[in-house]
């Protein structure tokens, strides 16, 4: 750029000089021509490219949009079901006490029912007690009877069942045990213990005219079992429902 500037400047100078010389030769009176103005050639400005500063991108952080509640139109509001009012806690009803079931007491079995359920039950046929069959079935070695009594022999002991006394009192009956002694000239059945009770209801036997008190049949099976177990008539029998007491050996109805 400088070389071009100086070359232009020299050319202009030479040109001015030549013009001046020509004017001097033509006449002396001519006014000097003012020197031409130097044309200053403007040096073109050098454009310096300034790198553009990159704009810092500002990243806007968008906050998450809060969920907007859906707009409910008036119609929807009108049609929307009303929320039920909170239910009040149910009041606890008092527990009703269930009535205690009544205990129905079964009626006590009758004497006839007890007899039918006992060991002698199957030996009662048509309302008659077959004491002979029952005695042998129970283990007696011999069976004897009189007008008001029958007797079972078990070895050296015996059991006698009697309704009424020998003197004819039918209201008192007796069940007795004792020793069987054939050497006694007065009587062989020597009583040791007897159970006395009111005769009450009676039952006929297979022997005509001979009856047995139903209370005797209530005691008889247990008494036979006791005698067969203990093998003695010298001890008071322990039988439910009977109170055996010492008695006269020749009279069962006379107790001591």
């Amino acid at each position: 750029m400088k070389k071009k500037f100086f070359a232009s400047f020299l050319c202009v100078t030479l040109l001015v000089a030549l013009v001046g010389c020509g004017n001097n030769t033509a006449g002396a009176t001519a006014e000097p021509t003012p020197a031409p103005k130097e044309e200053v050639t403007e040096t073109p400005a050098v454009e310096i490219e300034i790198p553009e500063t990159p704009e810092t991108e500002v990243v806007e952080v968008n906050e998450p949009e809060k969920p907007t509640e859906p707009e409910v139109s008036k119609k929807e509001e009108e049609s929307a079901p009303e929320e039920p009012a909170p239910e009040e806690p149910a009041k606890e009803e008092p527990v009703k006490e269930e009535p205690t079931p009544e205990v129905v007491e079964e009626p006590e079995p009758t004497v006839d029912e007890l007899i039918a359920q006992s060991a002698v039950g199957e030996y009662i046929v048509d309302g008659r007690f077959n004491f002979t069959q029952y005695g042998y079935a129970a283990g007696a070695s011999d069976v004897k009877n009189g007008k008001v009594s029958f007797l079972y022999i078990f070895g050296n002991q015996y059991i006698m069942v009697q309704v009424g006394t020998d003197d004819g009192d039918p209201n008192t009956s007796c069940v007795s045990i004792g020793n069987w002694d054939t050497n006694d000239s007065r009587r062989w059945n020597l009583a040791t213990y007897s159970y006395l009770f009111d005769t009450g209801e009676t039952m006929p036997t297979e022997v005509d005219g001979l009856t047995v008190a139903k209370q005797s049949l209530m005691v008889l099976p247990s008494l036979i079992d006791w005698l067969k177990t203990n093998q003695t008539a010298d001890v008071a029998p322990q039988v439910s429902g009977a109170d055996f007491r010492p008695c006269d050996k020749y009279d069962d109805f006379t107790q001591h």
Side-chain angles (χ1 to χ4, degrees):
M1 295 294 292
K2 288 181 178 182
K3 288 180 179 181
K4 288 181 180 183
F5 176 76
F6 286 116
S8 298
F9 180 75
L10 289 176
C11 288
V12 172
T13 304
L14 289 176
L15 181 58
V16 170
L18 289 175
V19 172
C21 290
N23 291 331
N24 290 330
T25 57
T29 59
E31 292 180 0
T33 306
K37 296 180 180 180
E38 293 182 359
E39 294 181 4
V40 180
T41 304
E42 294 180 359
T43 305
V46 179
E47 295 180 358
I48 301 172
E49 296 180 359
I50 300 172
E52 295 181 358
T53 304
E55 295 182 0
T56 304
E57 295 183 0
V58 178
V59 180
E60 294 183 0
V61 179
N62 296 328
E63 294 183 0
E65 295 183 358
K66 296 181 180 179
T68 57
E69 297 181 357
E71 295 182 0
V72 181
S73 63
K74 290 184 178 180
K75 290 183 179 180
E76 289 179 347
E77 287 181 353
E78 292 176 358
S79 61
E82 294 182 359
E83 294 184 1
E87 295 182 359
E88 294 183 359
K91 294 181 180 179
E92 294 183 0
E93 295 184 0
V95 179
K96 294 182 179 179
E97 295 183 0
E98 296 183 359
T100 305
E102 294 182 2
V103 179
V104 179
E105 295 183 0
E106 296 183 359
E108 294 184 2
T110 63
V111 173
D112 289 336
E113 289 174 340
L114 291 174
I115 291 173
Q117 296 168 6
S118 69
V120 300
E122 61 180 298
Y123 298 95
I124 298 173
V125 181
D126 297 331
R128 289 178 173 268
F129 174 51
N130 193 322
F131 66 86
T132 303
Q133 289 184 358
Y134 174 69
Y136 286 120
S141 57
D142 197 4
V143 177
K144 298 182 180 298
N145 71 276
K147 292 181 180 181
V148 293
S149 64
F150 60 85
L151 182 146
Y152 297 145
I153 301 172
F154 297 90
N156 295 326
Q157 287 86 36
Y158 75 93
I159 293 175
M160 186 175 71
V161 176
Q162 184 172 335
V163 175
T165 61
D166 291 335
D167 58 9
D169 179 9
N171 295 321
T172 303
S173 293
C174 174
V175 176
S176 61
I177 67 169
N179 295 306
W180 186 257
D181 186 1
T182 58
N183 295 319
D184 192 307
S185 59
R186 185 173 176 180
R187 57 182 285 185
W188 293 351
N189 53 313
L190 306 177
T192 55
Y193 292 90
S194 64
Y195 164 51
L196 304 179
F197 57 93
D198 294 335
T199 301
E201 296 183 42
T202 60
M203 178 181 295
T205 67
E206 78 273 17
V207 176
D208 291 339
L210 177 58
T211 61
V212 60
K214 290 183 178 180
Q215 181 63 24
S216 298
L217 299 182
M218 295 284 293
V219 174
L220 186 57
S222 298
L223 181 59
I224 291 174
D225 291 340
W226 183 90
L227 185 62
K228 290 168 64 176
T229 300
N230 291 276
Q231 295 292 316
T232 181
D234 295 326
V235 177
Q238 300 298 314
V239 177
S240 177
D243 180 18
F244 283 87
R245 297 181 181 182
C247 62
D248 189 292
K249 64 178 180 180
Y250 296 112
D251 185 1
D252 311 48
F253 288 84
T254 303
Q255 293 182 330
H256 304 292

